[in-house]
Amino acid sequence: EPEVTQTPSHQVTQMGQEVILRCVPISNHLYFYWYRQILGQKVEFLVSFYNNEISEKSEIFDDQFSVERPDGSNFTLKIRSTKLEDSAMYFCASSEVGRGTAFFGQGTRLTVV
Amino acid sequence: SQQGEEDPQALSIQEGENATMNCSYKTSINNLQWYRQNSGRGLVHLILIRSNEREKHSGRLRVTLDTSKKSSSLLITASRAADTASYFCATTDSWGKLQFGAGTQVVVTP
């Protein structure tokens, strides 16, 4: 069964460093998303991406965040200068249609020290 | 504004019992989805119910949607220990953005 895959599963980085989280969405999907979940809190929307551009972003998604689809399969989230409060589980999701079922990856646990 | 607030926050039941959790939301929706999350793991999609649907079944799951009350419920029948997880409802806007509630933690004891 097709699935969304994320790498790495766990990343530890020092405060101020740049990190890139990678995702391979399901191949025929057109809509891509990043969400995050701080430990013990609800899942929060970061950004949606369609037709090679951001379609919507939350107030969390400030200038230190960026997304890219560098080729036909990968979808990346870059955090330029990580802060302690960026420590969270980051989930990538994709859907075939904009209002359809969103399938999530297993997440990348980011720990900023 | 917050969407998809579930209650109860936690639910503890025995195997074989039914588990019911509710979700309320504030704004109009295109559809509502329910997800399961095992501790520290990814979100597994369970069921999607469209705004023009009132009830949907999938295996041991039954979801209802009442758009007049802006609420949904998830019923898990004949629960199993493997159903132990957190359950989230999420509303979908026109771009597909999901807004999640805080979730219901369900513990099923053998």
Side-chain angles (χ1 to χ4, degrees):
Chain A
E1 188 174 320
E3 59 180 16
V4 176
T5 56
Q6 289 185 244
T7 54
S9 56
H10 191 181
Q11 173 132 17
V12 181
T13 189
Q14 291 210 322
M15 195 168 52
Q17 294 296 303
E18 175 183 285
V19 294
I20 297 176
L21 309 182
R22 301 180 193 279
C23 169
V24 179
I26 294 173
S27 62
N28 63 334
H29 286 189
L30 301 175
Y31 294 79
F32 314 114
Y33 312 89
W34 282 101
Y35 293 82
R36 80 171 186 191
Q37 185 180 32
I38 294 171
L39 188 63
Q41 297 187 23
K42 64 170 68 176
V43 177
E44 301 174 289
F45 168 78
L46 292 178
V47 67
S48 58
F49 193 85
Y50 169 71
N51 202 24
N52 284 321
E53 60 183 28
I54 290 173
S55 47
E56 192 172 359
K57 60 183 180 180
S58 71
E59 57 194 29
I60 302 168
F61 194 88
D62 62 21
D63 290 345
Q64 70 160 343
F65 290 91
S66 62
V67 288
E68 197 176 40
R69 189 154 162 80
D71 54 42
S73 59
N74 291 285
F75 180 50
T76 61
L77 174 69
K78 182 192 290 186
I79 309 175
R80 271 183 256 289
S81 177
T82 50
K83 305 171 191 163
L84 294 176
E85 54 265 36
D86 293 328
S87 293
M89 186 78 108
Y90 287 81
F91 293 106
C92 173
S94 69
S95 63
E96 191 174 356
V97 294
R99 303 169 202 175
T101 299
F103 293 90
F104 282 74
Q106 287 297 310
T108 293
R109 182 171 297 284
L110 177 66
T111 304
V112 183
V113 296
Chain B
S1 64
Q2 290 186 337
Q3 286 279 68
E5 296 301 318
E6 294 92 339
D7 82 271
Q9 290 185 335
L11 187 59
S12 186
I13 56 174
Q14 294 211 312
E15 262 191 333
E17 293 181 338
N18 295 341
T20 300
M21 58 211 89
N22 303 295
C23 166
S24 60
Y25 57 92
K26 291 191 163 75
T27 62
S28 61
I29 60 171
N30 282 292
N31 61 54
L32 187 144
Q33 305 185 45
W34 284 91
Y35 287 84
R36 185 186 75 214
Q37 184 181 38
N38 289 81
S39 181
R41 305 295 301 276
L43 292 152
V44 176
H45 183 263
L46 295 176
I47 199 162
L48 179 153
I49 186 165
R50 302 191 189 287
S51 57
N52 61 352
E53 295 176 314
R54 292 296 165 257
E55 188 170 313
K56 206 158 180 183
H57 296 254
S58 175
R60 293 184 295 113
L61 305 179
R62 175 178 166 253
V63 167
T64 64
L65 179 64
D66 187 336
T67 51
S68 66
K69 294 181 180 174
K70 291 187 166 58
S71 68
S72 174
S73 68
L74 171 67
L75 166 70
I76 306 172
T77 59
S79 62
R80 305 167 183 167
D83 294 329
T84 295
S86 292
Y87 292 82
F88 297 89
C89 71
T91 55
T92 312
D93 71 6
S94 55
W95 278 105
K97 178 183 80 180
L98 294 167
Q99 286 190 276
F100 286 85
T104 294
Q105 282 190 306
V106 175
V107 174
V108 182
T109 51

Coordinates of all heavy atoms in Angstrom, one line a residue, chain B residues 47-78:
Chain B
I47 N -11.3 7.4 9.1 CA -12.5 7.6 8.4 C -12.8 9.1 8.1 O -12.3 10.0 8.8 CB -13.7 7.0 9.2 CG1 -14.9 6.7 8.3 CG2 -14.1 7.9 10.4 CD1 -15.9 5.8 9.0
L48 N -13.3 9.4 6.9 CA -13.7 10.7 6.5 C -15.2 10.7 6.3 O -15.8 9.9 5.7 CB -13.0 11.1 5.2 CG -13.2 12.4 4.6 CD1 -12.0 12.8 3.7 CD2 -14.4 12.5 3.7
I49 N -15.8 11.8 6.9 CA -17.3 11.9 6.6 C -17.5 13.3 6.0 O -16.9 14.3 6.5 CB -18.1 11.7 8.0 CG1 -19.6 11.8 7.7 CG2 -17.7 12.7 9.1 CD1 -20.4 11.2 8.8
R50 N -18.2 13.4 5.0 CA -18.4 14.6 4.3 C -19.5 15.4 4.9 O -20.4 14.9 5.6 CB -18.8 14.4 2.8 CG -17.7 13.6 2.1 CD -17.9 13.5 0.6 NE -17.0 12.6 0.0 CZ -15.7 12.8 -0.1 NH1 -15.1 13.9 0.2 NH2 -14.9 11.9 -0.7
S51 N -19.6 16.7 4.7 CA -20.5 17.6 5.4 C -22.0 17.3 5.0 O -22.9 17.6 5.8 CB -20.2 19.1 5.0 OG -20.3 19.3 3.6
N52 N -22.2 16.6 3.9 CA -23.6 16.2 3.5 C -23.9 14.8 4.0 O -25.0 14.3 3.6 CB -23.8 16.4 2.0 CG -22.9 15.5 1.2 OD1 -22.0 14.8 1.7 ND2 -23.1 15.5 -0.1
E53 N -23.0 14.1 4.7 CA -23.3 12.8 5.2 C -23.6 12.9 6.7 O -23.2 13.8 7.4 CB -22.1 11.9 5.0 CG -21.8 11.6 3.5 CD -20.5 10.8 3.3 OE1 -19.5 11.1 4.0 OE2 -20.6 9.9 2.5
R54 N -24.4 12.0 7.2 CA -24.8 12.0 8.6 C -24.2 10.8 9.4 O -24.0 10.9 10.6 CB -26.4 11.9 8.7 CG -27.1 13.1 8.2 CD -26.7 14.3 9.0 NE -27.1 15.6 8.4 CZ -26.2 16.4 7.8 NH1 -24.9 16.1 7.7 NH2 -26.6 17.5 7.2
E55 N -23.9 9.7 8.7 CA -23.4 8.6 9.4 C -22.5 7.8 8.4 O -22.8 7.7 7.2 CB -24.5 7.7 9.9 CG -24.1 6.6 10.8 CD -25.2 5.9 11.5 OE1 -26.1 6.6 12.0 OE2 -25.3 4.7 11.5
K56 N -21.4 7.2 9.0 CA -20.6 6.4 8.1 C -20.0 5.2 9.0 O -19.7 5.4 10.2 CB -19.5 7.2 7.6 CG -18.9 6.7 6.2 CD -18.2 7.8 5.5 CE -17.7 7.3 4.2 NZ -16.9 8.3 3.5
H57 N -19.8 4.1 8.3 CA -19.3 2.9 9.0 C -18.1 2.4 8.3 O -17.9 2.5 7.1 CB -20.4 1.8 9.0 CG -21.6 2.1 9.7 ND1 -21.9 1.6 11.0 CD2 -22.6 2.9 9.4 CE1 -23.1 2.0 11.4 NE2 -23.6 2.8 10.4
S58 N -17.1 1.9 9.2 CA -16.0 1.2 8.6 C -15.5 0.2 9.6 O -15.0 0.5 10.7 CB -14.8 2.3 8.3 OG -13.7 1.6 7.9
G59 N -15.9 -1.1 9.3 CA -15.5 -2.1 10.3 C -16.2 -1.9 11.6 O -17.4 -1.8 11.7
R60 N -15.4 -1.8 12.7 CA -16.0 -1.6 14.0 C -16.2 -0.1 14.3 O -16.5 0.2 15.5 CB -15.1 -2.3 15.0 CG -15.0 -3.8 15.0 CD -14.1 -4.4 16.1 NE -12.7 -4.0 16.0 CZ -12.1 -3.2 16.8 NH1 -12.7 -2.7 17.9 NH2 -10.8 -2.9 16.6
L61 N -15.9 0.7 13.4 CA -16.0 2.2 13.6 C -17.4 2.7 13.0 O -17.8 2.3 12.0 CB -14.9 2.9 12.9 CG -13.5 2.5 13.3 CD1 -12.5 3.3 12.5 CD2 -13.2 2.6 14.7
R62 N -18.0 3.6 13.8 CA -19.2 4.3 13.3 C -19.0 5.8 13.7 O -18.7 6.1 14.8 CB -20.4 3.7 14.0 CG -21.7 4.5 13.7 CD -22.9 3.9 14.4 NE -24.0 4.7 14.4 CZ -24.5 5.4 15.4 NH1 -23.9 5.3 16.6 NH2 -25.5 6.2 15.3
V63 N -19.1 6.6 12.6 CA -19.0 8.0 12.8 C -20.3 8.7 12.5 O -20.9 8.3 11.5 CB -17.8 8.6 11.9 CG1 -17.9 10.1 11.8 CG2 -16.5 8.1 12.4
T64 N -20.7 9.7 13.3 CA -21.8 10.5 13.0 C -21.4 11.9 12.8 O -20.4 12.3 13.4 CB -22.9 10.4 14.0 OG1 -22.4 10.9 15.3 CG2 -23.4 8.9 14.2
L65 N -22.2 12.7 12.1 CA -21.9 14.1 11.9 C -23.2 14.8 12.0 O -24.2 14.5 11.3 CB -21.2 14.4 10.6 CG -20.9 15.8 10.2 CD1 -19.9 16.4 11.2 CD2 -20.4 15.9 8.8
D66 N -23.3 15.8 12.8 CA -24.5 16.7 12.9 C -24.0 18.1 12.7 O -23.5 18.8 13.6 CB -25.1 16.6 14.3 CG -26.4 17.3 14.5 OD1 -26.6 18.3 13.7 OD2 -27.2 17.0 15.4
T67 N -24.2 18.6 11.5 CA -23.7 19.9 11.1 C -24.5 21.0 11.8 O -24.0 22.1 12.0 CB -23.7 20.1 9.6 OG1 -25.0 19.8 9.1 CG2 -22.7 19.2 8.9
S68 N -25.7 20.7 12.2 CA -26.5 21.8 12.8 C -26.0 22.0 14.2 O -26.0 23.2 14.7 CB -28.0 21.4 12.9 OG -28.2 20.2 13.7
K69 N -25.4 21.0 14.9 CA -24.8 21.1 16.2 C -23.3 21.3 16.1 O -22.7 21.4 17.1 CB -25.2 19.9 17.1 CG -26.7 19.8 17.4 CD -26.9 18.6 18.3 CE -28.4 18.5 18.6 NZ -28.8 17.3 19.3
K70 N -22.8 21.2 14.9 CA -21.3 21.3 14.7 C -20.7 20.3 15.6 O -19.8 20.6 16.4 CB -20.8 22.7 15.0 CG -21.2 23.7 13.9 CD -20.5 25.0 14.1 CE -20.7 26.0 13.0 NZ -22.0 26.3 12.6
S71 N -21.1 19.0 15.5 CA -20.5 18.0 16.3 C -20.4 16.6 15.6 O -21.2 16.4 14.6 CB -21.3 17.8 17.6 OG -22.6 17.3 17.3
S72 N -19.5 15.8 16.0 CA -19.3 14.5 15.4 C -19.0 13.5 16.6 O -18.5 13.9 17.6 CB -18.2 14.5 14.4 OG -17.9 13.2 13.9
S73 N -19.3 12.3 16.3 CA -18.9 11.3 17.3 C -18.3 10.1 16.6 O -18.6 9.8 15.5 CB -20.2 10.8 18.1 OG -21.0 10.1 17.3
L74 N -17.4 9.4 17.3 CA -16.7 8.2 16.9 C -17.1 7.1 17.9 O -16.8 7.3 19.1 CB -15.2 8.4 16.8 CG -14.4 7.1 16.5 CD1 -14.7 6.6 15.1 CD2 -12.9 7.4 16.7
L75 N -17.6 6.0 17.4 CA -17.9 4.9 18.2 C -17.0 3.7 17.8 O -17.0 3.4 16.6 CB -19.4 4.5 18.1 CG -19.8 3.1 18.6 CD1 -19.7 3.1 20.2 CD2 -21.2 2.8 18.2
I76 N -16.3 3.1 18.7 CA -15.6 1.9 18.4 C -16.3 0.8 19.2 O -16.4 0.8 20.4 CB -14.1 2.0 19.0 CG1 -13.4 3.2 18.4 CG2 -13.4 0.7 18.6 CD1 -12.1 3.5 19.0
T77 N -16.8 -0.2 18.4 CA -17.6 -1.3 19.0 C -16.6 -2.4 19.4 O -15.6 -2.6 18.7 CB -18.7 -1.8 18.1 OG1 -18.1 -2.2 16.9 CG2 -19.7 -0.7 17.8
A78 N -17.0 -3.2 20.4 CA -16.3 -4.4 20.8 C -14.8 -4.1 20.8 O -14.0 -4.7 20.1 CB -16.6 -5.5 19.8

